mmCIF file of all heavy atoms in Angstrom:
data_model
loop_
_atom_site.group_PDB
_atom_site.id
_atom_site.type_symbol
_atom_site.label_atom_id
_atom_site.label_comp_id
_atom_site.label_asym_id
_atom_site.label_seq_id
_atom_site.Cartn_x
_atom_site.Cartn_y
_atom_site.Cartn_z
ATOM 1 N N LEU A 949 -25.767 19.671 -8.030
ATOM 2 C CA LEU A 949 -26.122 20.115 -6.697
ATOM 3 C C LEU A 949 -26.541 21.583 -6.778
ATOM 4 O O LEU A 949 -25.820 22.424 -7.327
ATOM 5 C CB LEU A 949 -24.945 19.978 -5.750
ATOM 6 C CG LEU A 949 -24.735 18.614 -5.103
ATOM 7 C CD1 LEU A 949 -23.348 18.509 -4.540
ATOM 8 C CD2 LEU A 949 -25.786 18.380 -4.036
ATOM 9 N N HIS A 950 -27.678 21.886 -6.161
ATOM 10 C CA HIS A 950 -28.222 23.249 -6.251
ATOM 11 C C HIS A 950 -28.621 23.737 -4.855
ATOM 12 O O HIS A 950 -29.028 22.937 -3.974
ATOM 13 C CB HIS A 950 -29.457 23.264 -7.162
ATOM 14 C CG HIS A 950 -29.148 22.879 -8.575
ATOM 15 N ND1 HIS A 950 -28.844 23.767 -9.532
ATOM 16 C CD2 HIS A 950 -29.056 21.649 -9.145
ATOM 17 C CE1 HIS A 950 -28.583 23.119 -10.685
ATOM 18 N NE2 HIS A 950 -28.718 21.837 -10.462
ATOM 19 N N GLU A 951 -28.501 25.034 -4.667
ATOM 20 C CA GLU A 951 -28.833 25.656 -3.388
ATOM 21 C C GLU A 951 -30.332 25.746 -3.257
ATOM 22 O O GLU A 951 -31.069 25.917 -4.239
ATOM 23 C CB GLU A 951 -28.205 27.044 -3.330
ATOM 24 C CG GLU A 951 -28.152 27.653 -1.954
ATOM 25 C CD GLU A 951 -26.980 27.123 -1.141
ATOM 26 O OE1 GLU A 951 -25.880 27.076 -1.631
ATOM 27 O OE2 GLU A 951 -27.249 26.769 0.035
ATOM 28 N N HIS A 952 -30.807 25.638 -1.994
ATOM 29 C CA HIS A 952 -32.228 25.933 -1.725
ATOM 30 C C HIS A 952 -32.513 27.388 -2.124
ATOM 31 O O HIS A 952 -31.670 28.254 -1.956
ATOM 32 C CB HIS A 952 -32.543 25.746 -0.238
ATOM 33 C CG HIS A 952 -32.678 24.292 0.146
ATOM 34 N ND1 HIS A 952 -33.884 23.660 0.255
ATOM 35 C CD2 HIS A 952 -31.755 23.343 0.420
ATOM 36 C CE1 HIS A 952 -33.714 22.417 0.588
ATOM 37 N NE2 HIS A 952 -32.419 22.180 0.715
ATOM 38 N N GLN A 953 -33.701 27.599 -2.599
ATOM 39 C CA GLN A 953 -34.101 28.982 -2.955
ATOM 40 C C GLN A 953 -35.458 29.270 -2.361
ATOM 41 O O GLN A 953 -36.420 28.535 -2.611
ATOM 42 C CB GLN A 953 -34.110 29.152 -4.474
ATOM 43 C CG GLN A 953 -34.330 30.576 -4.903
ATOM 44 C CD GLN A 953 -34.181 30.737 -6.418
ATOM 45 O OE1 GLN A 953 -34.000 29.767 -7.099
ATOM 46 N NE2 GLN A 953 -34.253 31.966 -6.902
ATOM 47 N N ALA A 954 -35.533 30.344 -1.571
ATOM 48 C CA ALA A 954 -36.824 30.712 -0.975
ATOM 49 C C ALA A 954 -37.778 31.186 -2.067
ATOM 50 O O ALA A 954 -37.370 31.724 -3.101
ATOM 51 C CB ALA A 954 -36.607 31.823 0.049
ATOM 52 N N PRO A 955 -39.074 30.996 -1.869
ATOM 53 C CA PRO A 955 -40.061 31.463 -2.851
ATOM 54 C C PRO A 955 -39.888 32.934 -3.167
ATOM 55 O O PRO A 955 -39.770 33.759 -2.275
ATOM 56 C CB PRO A 955 -41.393 31.166 -2.188
ATOM 57 C CG PRO A 955 -41.123 30.082 -1.198
ATOM 58 C CD PRO A 955 -39.731 30.328 -0.725
ATOM 59 N N GLY A 956 -39.840 33.260 -4.448
ATOM 60 C CA GLY A 956 -39.727 34.638 -4.850
ATOM 61 C C GLY A 956 -38.330 35.206 -4.852
ATOM 62 O O GLY A 956 -38.109 36.342 -5.242
ATOM 63 N N ALA A 957 -37.331 34.430 -4.372
ATOM 64 C CA ALA A 957 -35.966 34.898 -4.314
ATOM 65 C C ALA A 957 -35.357 34.942 -5.711
ATOM 66 O O ALA A 957 -35.657 34.113 -6.564
ATOM 67 C CB ALA A 957 -35.120 34.001 -3.416
ATOM 68 N N LYS A 958 -34.479 35.894 -5.952
ATOM 69 C CA LYS A 958 -33.780 35.989 -7.227
ATOM 70 C C LYS A 958 -32.618 35.021 -7.250
ATOM 71 O O LYS A 958 -31.965 34.836 -6.246
ATOM 72 C CB LYS A 958 -33.291 37.431 -7.447
ATOM 73 C CG LYS A 958 -34.427 38.430 -7.612
ATOM 74 C CD LYS A 958 -33.823 39.815 -7.931
ATOM 75 C CE LYS A 958 -34.960 40.825 -8.141
ATOM 76 N NZ LYS A 958 -34.404 42.164 -8.442
ATOM 77 N N ARG A 959 -32.363 34.455 -8.392
ATOM 78 C CA ARG A 959 -31.266 33.518 -8.524
ATOM 79 C C ARG A 959 -29.951 34.308 -8.591
ATOM 80 O O ARG A 959 -29.842 35.289 -9.285
ATOM 81 C CB ARG A 959 -31.428 32.682 -9.792
ATOM 82 C CG ARG A 959 -32.644 31.788 -9.770
ATOM 83 C CD ARG A 959 -32.826 31.051 -11.059
ATOM 84 N NE ARG A 959 -31.735 30.112 -11.230
ATOM 85 C CZ ARG A 959 -31.626 29.304 -12.306
ATOM 86 N NH1 ARG A 959 -32.488 29.377 -13.294
ATOM 87 N NH2 ARG A 959 -30.611 28.470 -12.413
ATOM 88 N N ARG A 960 -28.979 33.806 -7.874
ATOM 89 C CA ARG A 960 -27.661 34.446 -7.878
ATOM 90 C C ARG A 960 -26.817 33.847 -8.978
ATOM 91 O O ARG A 960 -27.079 32.734 -9.446
ATOM 92 C CB ARG A 960 -26.931 34.244 -6.530
ATOM 93 C CG ARG A 960 -27.697 34.867 -5.392
ATOM 94 C CD ARG A 960 -26.789 34.838 -4.148
ATOM 95 N NE ARG A 960 -27.515 35.446 -3.000
ATOM 96 C CZ ARG A 960 -26.901 35.664 -1.839
ATOM 97 N NH1 ARG A 960 -25.618 35.358 -1.683
ATOM 98 N NH2 ARG A 960 -27.565 36.182 -0.854
ATOM 99 N N SER A 961 -25.813 34.605 -9.365
ATOM 100 C CA SER A 961 -24.936 34.071 -10.423
ATOM 101 C C SER A 961 -24.185 32.868 -9.880
ATOM 102 O O SER A 961 -23.910 32.744 -8.693
ATOM 103 C CB SER A 961 -23.945 35.160 -10.815
ATOM 104 O OG SER A 961 -23.167 35.580 -9.727
ATOM 105 N N ALA A 962 -23.819 31.975 -10.805
ATOM 106 C CA ALA A 962 -23.260 30.708 -10.377
ATOM 107 C C ALA A 962 -21.885 30.851 -9.746
ATOM 108 O O ALA A 962 -21.555 30.189 -8.803
ATOM 109 C CB ALA A 962 -23.136 29.795 -11.613
ATOM 110 N N ALA A 963 -21.026 31.671 -10.302
ATOM 111 C CA ALA A 963 -19.652 31.757 -9.799
ATOM 112 C C ALA A 963 -19.023 33.023 -10.319
ATOM 113 O O ALA A 963 -19.343 33.540 -11.391
ATOM 114 C CB ALA A 963 -18.858 30.550 -10.240
ATOM 115 N N PRO A 964 -18.076 33.596 -9.545
ATOM 116 C CA PRO A 964 -17.365 34.755 -10.022
ATOM 117 C C PRO A 964 -16.456 34.347 -11.162
ATOM 118 O O PRO A 964 -16.016 33.206 -11.258
ATOM 119 C CB PRO A 964 -16.561 35.194 -8.781
ATOM 120 C CG PRO A 964 -16.412 33.931 -7.975
ATOM 121 C CD PRO A 964 -17.668 33.146 -8.229
#
Side-chain angles (χ1 to χ4, degrees):
L949 276 164
H950 299 267
E951 195 80 47
H952 282 263
Q953 187 173 5
K958 294 183 179 181
R959 296 177 66 181
R960 298 190 180 188
S961 60

